[in-house]
Amino acid sequence: DTGVSQNPRHKITKRGQNVTFRCDPISEHNRLYWYRQTLGQGPEFLTYFQNEAQLEKSRLLSDRFSAERPKGSFSTLEIQRTEQGDSAMYLCASSLVRGLLRDYGYTFGSGTRLTVV
Amino acid sequence: AQTVTQSQPEMSVQEAETVTLSCTYDTSESDYYLFWYKQPPSRQMILVIRQEAYKQQNATENRFSVNFQKAAKSFSLKISDSQLGDAAMYFCAYRINNNDMRFGAGTRLTVKP
């Protein structure tokens, strides 16, 4: 396992089109997180999954955004009817949480850079 | 709401010198975790160091150490013997239990040869 993998690395799309990103976490990690990072800013939380359950969604995640993790392994983030304001780096991270065992940070992927023109 | 503030958008340091990056946070929780992440240009975020709030001892990882002042809600990162490879964006982050992590806006560190 070489870490968290995100595809594609770059995506250019026209405004109004739909896009889908994929994240493959570290195989034994049960939690998967999506963040959005705009230029010059820190990552902003979007949503996270524990196994296949989506446990929390940020108010940043409008109804045009949907995320899934159907089998508790890889996850997809879809943006419908893209807008120029959606242009950002979309980061995925994973971690392992077991009961009361605390985990200490995420392993991040390299991100998918979305440009909406 | 929990917030993380990094008041230094940019910092520079001479190679082999020491630099300190500042971070403050706002929370009403007593048990939480603090992190510093490094993000080199066009590369992924890498965990530099972490601190558990219930531990009084400051965390250290080789040339990286923190000054954790819980009462002041301050969590600064000290990089000793700076190297050219330390040049990156540095993000301070805060996390309660196993919930999501909140990041500051980042500090861009330049290392001058």
Side-chain angles (χ1 to χ4, degrees):
Chain A
D1 196 341
T2 56
V4 178
S5 176
Q6 290 189 248
N7 289 288
R9 291 293 302 275
H10 304 275
K11 178 70 176 179
I12 300 174
T13 190
K14 291 183 178 179
R15 189 176 53 181
Q17 297 294 306
N18 299 344
V19 294
T20 300
F21 311 139
R22 176 177 170 127
C23 172
D24 287 88
I26 292 174
S27 57
E28 61 266 28
H29 284 186
N30 53 1
R31 283 210 178 174
L32 186 148
Y33 303 80
W34 284 100
Y35 282 78
R36 181 174 69 187
Q37 185 178 22
T38 53
L39 200 62
Q41 297 297 316
E44 297 173 294
F45 169 75
L46 293 178
T47 188
Y48 86 89
F49 294 83
Q50 178 148 332
N51 300 315
E52 66 275 10
Q54 189 172 18
L55 296 187
E56 187 176 348
K57 292 193 291 185
S58 162
R59 56 183 172 81
L60 293 175
L61 212 67
S62 75
D63 56 5
R64 295 185 298 106
F65 288 70
S66 63
E68 294 183 341
R69 195 183 183 198
K71 297 182 179 179
S73 56
F74 73 91
S75 176
T76 57
L77 178 67
E78 181 183 17
I79 309 174
Q80 297 181 327
R81 306 181 302 281
T82 52
E83 302 172 356
Q84 286 188 322
D86 297 332
S87 295
M89 176 76 84
Y90 289 84
L91 296 171
C92 176
S94 69
S95 68
L96 175 63
V97 176
R98 281 184 180 154
L100 297 177
L101 179 66
R102 295 170 171 179
D103 73 306
Y104 294 102
Y106 305 161
T107 301
F108 279 89
S110 298
T112 293
R113 182 169 296 282
L114 173 66
T115 303
V116 181
V117 298
Chain B
Q2 290 79 33
T3 58
V4 180
T5 302
Q6 293 180 249
S7 59
Q8 306 153 316
E10 296 184 356
M11 290 284 284
S12 66
V13 62
Q14 204 72 31
E15 194 176 6
E17 297 294 309
T18 295
V19 65
T20 298
L21 308 184
S22 301
C23 173
T24 58
Y25 56 94
D26 182 26
T27 184
S28 57
E29 301 290 333
S30 60
D31 192 14
Y32 48 87
Y33 303 87
L34 295 162
F35 306 85
W36 278 97
Y37 277 87
K38 170 185 177 181
Q39 188 177 41
S42 302
R43 296 185 64 183
Q44 67 192 92
M45 301 266 284
I46 302 168
L47 178 64
V48 174
I49 198 165
R50 59 192 177 225
Q51 175 81 42
E52 295 147 294
Y54 68 86
K55 290 186 176 179
Q56 292 186 342
Q57 186 174 4
N58 289 324
T60 299
E61 290 286 343
N62 301 314
R63 297 183 296 108
F64 299 87
S65 61
V66 299
N67 183 6
F68 174 47
Q69 302 290 328
K70 191 172 184 178
K73 297 180 184 177
S74 171
F75 183 62
S76 61
L77 174 69
K78 185 172 80 171
I79 306 174
S80 304
D81 185 25
S82 296
Q83 301 175 0
L84 295 178
D86 295 333
M89 284 290 290
Y90 285 82
F91 293 98
C92 178
Y94 161 96
R95 186 182 190 188
I96 305 171
N97 297 326
N98 291 319
N99 294 323
D100 62 278
M101 197 175 299
R102 303 300 167 109
F103 290 83
T107 296
R108 181 176 303 281
L109 178 67
T110 302
V111 181
K112 298 178 180 178

